[in-house]
Amino acid sequence: MELLRCEGLTKRYGSGEAQVTALAGVDLVMERGEFAAVVGASGSGKSTLLHILGSVDTPTSGQVLVDGTPLTGMTRTQAALFRRRKVGIVYQFYNLVPTLTVRQNILLPLQLDGRRPDEAYFAQLTDTLGIANKLDAMPSQLSGGQQQRAAIARAMLYRPALLLADEPTGNLDRKNAREVLDLLRLANRSMGQTILLVTHDESIALGADRILTMEDGRILRDEARR
């Protein structure tokens, strides 16, 4: 079943001679339950694509539908609500609130919506991610790998339709990077989570089932690995 569709997606910054084209007509379809990786050199457009899919940025032209919802035309408030409820985003630098415990950081999106967590799912998620014994710790007391696990738990707590990961291993050593990739694979296979991973590291991309290669704002290759 189709979860994501992009058609003719373009993004331009600036104007006149200073204009930069970040995306130049991207077409992309992802099925529910897929695990895809986007690779490409710096400036190829991969992070811009991810930010538009997460409603963090808006396209210059073209359309995006996530789980049947068109992203074009949303107000900033609507985009923020959509992002919180439908799309989980994991960044390279964790973005945990330093004055909140790990538990409070993970629960923050639900609290912003005034919703109570599913305690059984919360326990399953934190146990699967290996941070069940760190819930009362502060982010500064965690290793980089543990902080990224907390960020993944926060992104998945809402059971998002789509999980977007923007260089999630870029700030980790090789061992922790491999563990985070294994956790994303586990989320995909055991929980059916649809994942789009952006990375410059081709060895990390090989953990996905599909690899999209971008260059100059276009998808040059789309390869299924399994």
Side-chain angles (χ1 to χ4, degrees), residues 6-220:
C6 301
E7 295 180 341
L9 203 61
T10 68
K11 180 64 178 181
R12 292 185 291 273
Y13 297 99
S15 60
E17 294 183 359
Q19 188 175 86
V20 174
T21 299
L23 296 178
V26 171
D27 297 320
L28 172 63
V29 174
M30 281 186 69
E31 300 296 318
R32 194 177 299 275
E34 270 197 282
F35 184 4
V38 182
V39 298
S42 178
S44 61
K46 57 187 188 297
S47 288
T48 300
L49 175 62
L50 182 141
H51 293 155
I52 289 175
L53 299 183
S55 73
V56 177
D57 200 355
T58 56
T60 302
S61 62
Q63 65 172 345
V64 181
L65 286 91
V66 176
D67 202 21
T69 301
L71 304 193
T72 51
M74 284 186 174
T75 65
R76 292 181 64 179
T77 299
Q78 289 171 331
L81 287 173
F82 176 83
R83 196 159 53 244
R84 193 157 71 228
R85 296 171 180 174
K86 283 288 189 178
V87 179
I89 306 180
V90 180
Y91 292 102
Q92 177 178 348
F93 293 104
Y94 326 132
N95 290 340
L96 300 178
V97 181
T99 55
L100 300 180
T101 65
V102 171
R103 182 191 303 274
Q104 290 168 332
N105 267 284
I106 295 171
L107 293 175
L108 188 58
L110 286 181
Q111 291 177 337
L112 289 172
D113 257 1
R115 294 180 54 179
R116 297 177 64 86
D118 179 335
E119 294 293 348
Y121 180 64
F122 177 85
Q124 176 194 7
L125 190 59
T126 54
D127 184 61
T128 299
L129 292 171
I131 54 172
N133 63 339
K134 300 291 184 181
L135 296 178
D136 294 323
M138 305 302 287
S140 61
Q141 296 174 300
L142 272 57
S143 68
Q146 290 168 336
Q147 290 187 64
Q148 192 59 290
R149 290 165 187 246
I152 292 170
R154 180 180 58 191
M156 291 185 61
L157 187 62
Y158 238 112
R159 303 178 194 254
L162 178 64
L163 181 65
L164 301 172
D166 190 5
E167 300 279 8
T169 63
N171 201 36
L172 302 175
D173 59 31
R174 180 57 60 180
K175 177 179 180 295
N176 278 307
R178 182 55 54 183
E179 289 179 356
V180 166
L181 176 62
D182 288 343
L183 290 169
L184 291 175
R185 275 203 299 251
L186 179 64
N188 170 250
R189 289 179 170 83
S190 67
M191 300 178 181
Q193 180 66 61
T194 307
I195 301 173
L196 185 65
L197 164 72
V198 165
T199 181
H200 68 279
D201 188 336
E202 292 192 5
S203 67
I204 295 296
L206 290 173
D209 301 324
R210 178 181 175 192
I211 299 178
L212 309 167
T213 304
M214 291 194 70
E215 184 177 315
D216 295 331
R218 295 180 173 85
I219 295 176
L220 293 187

